[in-house]
């Protein structure tokens, strides 16, 4: 198992073609982790346009985990494993609350001509995750959530 | 994150001097936009040329910024990098905001 030369903030280790990260459920860690992931992916040879899309998926999924799974809880952890070969796959694991009814939200786009004041300011996260992925797999078992996203 | 504003004719250009508009800075962005938009007479061109990453929180902050404008003001976007363009396209927010390739393109619409 080799460690990249610098991994500030996030705890990142690399083994084979998987990059692994551990973070605390704080917003500061999410942003920093996503920057690290994008940079590590490019360093691993993933095309930049794919690396940034994977970083976007990470930002959306991690923000959701922090806001919903870990809201008002202590002792939470989040782990991210990123597969760098094809197809690129990201697996998120956390020990927070399960998704309601185990159903992943769809997300909804804006409607052309929609009035300014009626535009939603949130809820686009799952739409983005779904649009950028070809497969989503979610399970909750033994107190842990696992979400696996395959890049489209 | 820094937002710098300058007026050109009847338009105000607000340049976002930051590489990311994400959950960590969304609230700050919205507050700064309220500040920089104040007193703008009409069109506001938000120059995103330096922004290399935006997530749904950042998108939400831009939508919120538009909602906090007064009736005569209009928010338009300039210089979207590939991932920013992707986020606006996938959410269909590209049908809501006028989008220009460059500040010059945006300003040339004023010369009528």
């Amino acid at each position: 198992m080799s460690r990249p030369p610098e991994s500030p903030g996030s705890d990142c280790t690399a083994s084979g073609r998987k990059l692994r990260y551990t973070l605390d459920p704080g917003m500061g860690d999410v942003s920093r982790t996503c920057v690290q992931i994008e940079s590590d992916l490019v360093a691993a040879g993933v095309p930049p346009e794919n690396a940034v899309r994977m970083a976007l998926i990470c930002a959306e999924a991690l923000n959701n985990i922090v806001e919903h799974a870990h809201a008002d809880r202590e002792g939470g952890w989040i782990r991210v494993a990123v597969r760098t070969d094809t197809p690129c796959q990201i697996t998120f694991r956390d020990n927070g609350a399960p998704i309601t009814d185990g159903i992943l939200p769809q997300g909804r786009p804006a409607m052309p001509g929609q009035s300014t004041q009626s535009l939603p300011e949130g809820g686009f996260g799952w739409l983005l995750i779904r649009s950028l992925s070809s497969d989503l797999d979610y399970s909750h078992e033994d107190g842990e959530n696992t979400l696996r996203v395959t890049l489209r | 994150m820094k937002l710098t504003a300058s007026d050109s004719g009847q338009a105000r250009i607000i340049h976002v001097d930051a590489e990311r508009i994400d959950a960590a800075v969304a609230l700050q962005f919205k507050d700064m936009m309220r500040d920089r938009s104040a007193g703008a007479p009409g069109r506001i061109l938000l120059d995103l040329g330096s922004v290399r990453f935006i997530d749904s929180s950042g998108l939400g902050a831009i939508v919120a910024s538009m909602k906090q404008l007064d009736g005569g003001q209009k928010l338009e976007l300039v210089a979207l990098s590939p991932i920013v363009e992707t986020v606006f396209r996938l959410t269909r927010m590209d049908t809501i905001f006028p989008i220009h390739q460059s500040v010059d393109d945006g300003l040339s619409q004023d010369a009528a």
Side-chain angles (χ1 to χ4, degrees), chain A residues 27 31 34-35 52-53 55-56 59-60 63 109-114 116-117 119-121 124-125 127-128 131-132, chain B residues 20 22-24 30 52-57 59-61 63-64 66-67 83 86-87 89-93 95-96:
Chain A
M27 284 300 185
S31 196
C34 293
V35 170
V52 70
R53 283 167 177 236
L56 178 57
E60 300 301 342
N63 285 334
M111 304 297 291
Q114 188 169 358
T116 301
Q117 293 308 322
L119 284 170
E121 291 166 40
F124 296 115
L127 174 64
L128 288 171
S131 304
L132 293 167
Chain B
R20 304 172 68 79
D22 61 10
K30 186 181 158 187
R52 292 277 154 266
F53 184 91
I54 189 171
D55 63 9
S56 63
S57 307
L59 175 62
V63 172
M66 178 168 69
K67 284 176 164 183
I83 195 65
T86 295
V87 168
R89 180 170 42 81
L90 293 176
T91 58
R92 297 197 188 231
M93 281 296 184
T95 66
I96 302 294

Side-chain angles (χ1 to χ4, degrees), chain A residues 1-4 12-20 40-41 43-44 82-85:
Chain A
M1 199 159 65
S2 67
R3 185 173 278 271
C12 171
T13 61
S15 58
R17 293 180 164 265
K18 253 197 179 146
L19 304 174
R20 298 177 190 279
D40 290 345
L41 287 172
V82 184
R83 216 173 89 180
T84 59
D85 51 3

Side-chain angles (χ1 to χ4, degrees), chain B:
Chain B
M1 156 167 295
K2 214 169 66 163
L3 265 56
T4 51
S6 61
D7 288 346
S8 176
Q10 288 303 297
R12 173 166 298 178
I13 303 151
I14 297 178
H15 175 76
V16 180
D17 189 6
E19 290 198 357
R20 304 172 68 79
I21 309 178
D22 61 10
V25 297
L27 215 54
Q28 183 188 11
F29 175 85
K30 186 181 158 187
D31 288 342
M32 287 176 132
M33 276 298 287
R34 182 188 290 111
D35 212 58
R36 299 291 183 277
S37 304
R43 300 169 69 215
I44 296 172
L45 303 180
L46 185 63
D47 182 1
L48 297 171
S50 299
V51 179
R52 292 277 154 266
F53 184 91
I54 189 171
D55 63 9
S56 63
S57 307
L59 175 62
I62 291 178
V63 172
S65 298
M66 178 168 69
K67 284 176 164 183
Q68 65 193 11
L69 298 178
D70 70 44
Q73 296 175 316
K74 185 173 164 177
L75 186 61
E76 304 180 25
L77 309 178
V78 174
L80 272 50
S81 62
I83 195 65
V84 178
E85 189 273 334
T86 295
V87 168
F88 275 83
R89 180 170 42 81
L90 293 176
T91 58
R92 297 197 188 231
M93 281 296 184
D94 59 344
T95 66
I96 302 294
F97 294 89
I99 295 172
H100 311 282
Q101 296 275 56
S102 68
V103 170
D104 283 346
D105 280 358
L107 288 176
S108 69
Q109 294 202 358
D110 252 351

